[in-house]
Each structure stands twice: as C-alpha cells, then as structure tokens.
Amino acid sequence: METNSFAQTYPRFGGKIITAQKPEYETARKVHNGMIDKYPDLIVQCQDAEDVAMAVNYARKHKLLLAVKGGGHNGAGLGMCDGGMVIDMSLMRNVTVHPEKNTVLVEGGCTLGDLDTATHAFGLAVPSGINSTTGIGGLTLGGGLGHLTRRCGLTIDNLLEANIVLADGRLVKASATENEDLFWAIRGGGGNFGVVVSFLFRTHPISTVYGGPMFWNMSEAKELMLWYQTFIKQAPDEINGFFAFHQIPPDPNMFPEEFHLETMCGIVWCHSGDPEKAEAFFQEFRQNKKPAIDLVGPLPVPVIQTLFDGLFLPGYQWYWKGDFVKTLTEEVIDIHIKHAWKIPNFFSGMHLYPINGAASRVGKDETAWNYRDATWAMVIAGVDPDVNNKDRIINFSRDYWTELHPYTEGGSYVNFMMEEGEDRIKSTYGKNYHRLVDIKGKYDPDNLFRVNQNIKPQAKMTF
C-alpha cells in the first residue's frame, strides 16, 4: 500500500496521518495494555465525522484490515491491528452538556474523565465505569458497568442516540425513532456495526456520593461474601458495591502500612442517595462488619472515578477473563478464596460488579446486552508492569477462571474478554445473537468492522 495515497485521495482530511516513518508512530500504535504489540501500516487520527467517513471509505475501497481506536483500553487490544489501518479518534474529545435538557453530547474519542469533568460542573453524572482513563466508546458499546449501575442502569440504558459512520461511509443517526434496529444493536453489540463518532446520553443529578473501599482480613472472606450476596440482591438501588480480592498496595498515603501487600477481601462502595441516609447506613454497617481498612466517605463523582487510576497505568501487562454470575454457593466461595491467595501482586485481583437494581429492569431483548438476569459481571485480572511476568499473570487469570467457569452463566461481559473465539461470543449474546447477525448483514455485509468481538454476517448466497 502506498503510504501517501490516503493524503492524495483525501486532501481535505483534517486530522493526522501517521505511518511507521513518522516519529509519533511508536506512541500512536500503543494501547493501554502493554501486552498488545501491533504494527498497523497506517494510523489516521481523525478530528471529526467527515474525517472518519474518509477513512472508512479508504479502508473499504482498498480492502484493508480496519481497527477503530477510541480510548485504547480494550483488554484484547482490539483498537489496534497488524498491517492495515487504524481509525484513531483520540483527537475527538469534545463534550457538550445541555443541563436544561439533562443530556450530554460526547465525541467518540472521549475518556470517562472528559465526561465526568464536564458533567460534574453542572452537578450531573452519566453512569459509566470505574476508571477515568477508560474510553467512553468501547465502554458504552459493550454495555457500560460502573459505580452507578444499580441506581441508573448500564451506560447503554442512558444512551439516547448515536451518530455512526457506516461501512459504506454514510453518517447516520441511531435512536429509538431512527434506525431503530441499529440503535438496538449498538447497545451491547460492540463495534460491529460502524464507527460511533458521538453519543448523546441522559444525565442524572448526582454530584457527590458516599463511597470508597473497605477491606477485611481473609479470615472473614467467606462470611463476608455470603453476607454480601444476600445484601446486594435486595439492597436499595442507590447502594452499589462491588466485591473484590486484592493485595493491598504499598501506598502510605492511602493504606495503613501494616496492611501493605497483605491479601484481603473488600467491597468498593458507592451510595448515590441522600447523604444523611448514606451516613446512617454506613454507621450501622461499620458497627456490624467492622473493616480493617475503611476509606469510605463523601466523594465528588470525578474523584471516586479516579481512585484507582494510579494503579493501572498505561503500558502495564494485562490479561483478564470474565463471566456472568447469578449465585455464590459455598463451594464457589471456597474456590474464590483458594485462588485469591494466589493473586500474584497488588495490581491483580478479582471483582464482582453488580448488574441488578435498575439494570435488571430492562428486558433481555430490549438491547443487545443479554444477561439482565445475572447478579454480577465477574472479572479476574492479571496485571503487571514487568513484561517478564506475562506468563505468571496469564496463568493466574486462566486457572482461576477455569475452575469457576462451570458455575457461571456461560457468557461474559464483552469488555472483559480477550480474543476467545466465536462460540464464546455466541454464549455472550445468547438468544440475541441471531438478531445481531441479521443487523450486521444489513449494515456491514462484508464485515469491514471485524477487529472486535466479531459478529459475522451470514454468508452471501451465490447461484
């Protein structure tokens, strides 16, 4: 491929064209996961929807392998490719808040930090993830789990419309009244259907929450996990808390030194309701379940979203496995505790993110996201800054997941998957899979958008 042919074909392209000969290439080809080491022939950093349309048309006409990069947080590195072309939206980070309408318009290259900062200025929030460096595009298209899920639903449950560049280069709007089938598919179906250049979200009047982590000694893990299971299944929607196993980071500014590097169990809380009710709840809870480490208190939404950013810096090695989970039997809890003791370092661990509450009151067929009846999305993450520990963190995650998988619901949150094959994707979408295949065939029949958790269109009939 002629590396300068893109510029010649589209002299009006307003972004940056990066090839391997450019000094910025090494930085541009990196994603958050340092385990991903791919070399595209061409990276085009687009500045608007018109640029994206040019890039899509070029890739289609030249039959190039095409990846789409938003925030670059995808664990499997599906925002990058070897050879071919990358559409990079990192220059597209405008956020426009409409407080009178309780909406916010967010460009596809934004991070959660961009979104949180803009909405917080108006006392508003959009339910999203738990790290400010995560890209809003990948998070949303996969579903969107985070601190406000039980109160406000998944991120996709708050998506009102999206502007999308399709495989044929057209820019269309998807909403409840326009291209309704496409709107259904992008709410959980990933990047299979086009490049989302902007999202319009509903906002919520949430500015400060009562949250943060609490940790207990491992001797209390089984009792705590049993209590947590019962509690979270019937808790008021405004109370969110994800269960975790971790080693305590050796950070004297955050954690008492006596617990540094100790393996512990914990709950990361987020109470987004009335502050007095939150204070009363945690006061009673502390009396009954006194934690060894208690960092829970009033926090602005952007602060709770950044609590763990410093632990998960770009360039670290990542390997994670996930599953949807309904129930924690005593046998399952014993398996969790067994593997928790094998956590390799303070970057790695296991989380159970609740998906009940408001998220569970959306029908399984109302969006592509299928597991509305599960209680948690589980992720087991091996993370390490040292490339020499790659095999160690992979083995930790795989071994932990392999022993638990038979007790789970079969599918996984797509944002917690590596490249795991077509059967795993089918399990993740369940009865929604065939509808997704049909919509894929309508909007991307040649599977241009295939560097993702790919939903393949049905093969074209030939006579």
Side-chain angles (χ1 to χ4, degrees), residues 31 38 67-70 72 74 76-81 85-88 451:
V31 292
K38 296 181 179 180
V68 180
K69 177 176 176 285
N74 182 271
L78 298 176
M80 198 54 57
C81 61
M85 177 179 179
V86 173
I87 292 176
D88 181 341
V451 182

Side-chain angles (χ1 to χ4, degrees), residues 242-306:
F242 68 84
F243 193 92
F245 286 113
H246 275 289
Q247 288 182 13
I248 301 304
D251 180 352
N253 296 319
M254 191 169 186
F255 299 103
E257 291 189 25
E258 63 188 290
F259 298 110
H260 287 182
L261 301 181
E262 184 173 332
T263 300
M264 303 187 80
C265 57
I267 301 172
V268 180
W269 294 104
C270 179
H271 192 305
S272 57
D274 178 83
E276 291 186 4
K277 289 183 178 179
E279 180 65 47
F281 167 76
F282 284 109
Q283 184 175 0
E284 181 180 357
F285 177 79
R286 288 173 174 122
Q287 292 173 354
N288 295 327
K289 301 281 183 187
K290 183 174 177 58
I293 300 174
D294 184 351
L295 302 177
V296 174
L299 295 170
V301 169
V303 173
I304 195 170
Q305 293 284 79
T306 59

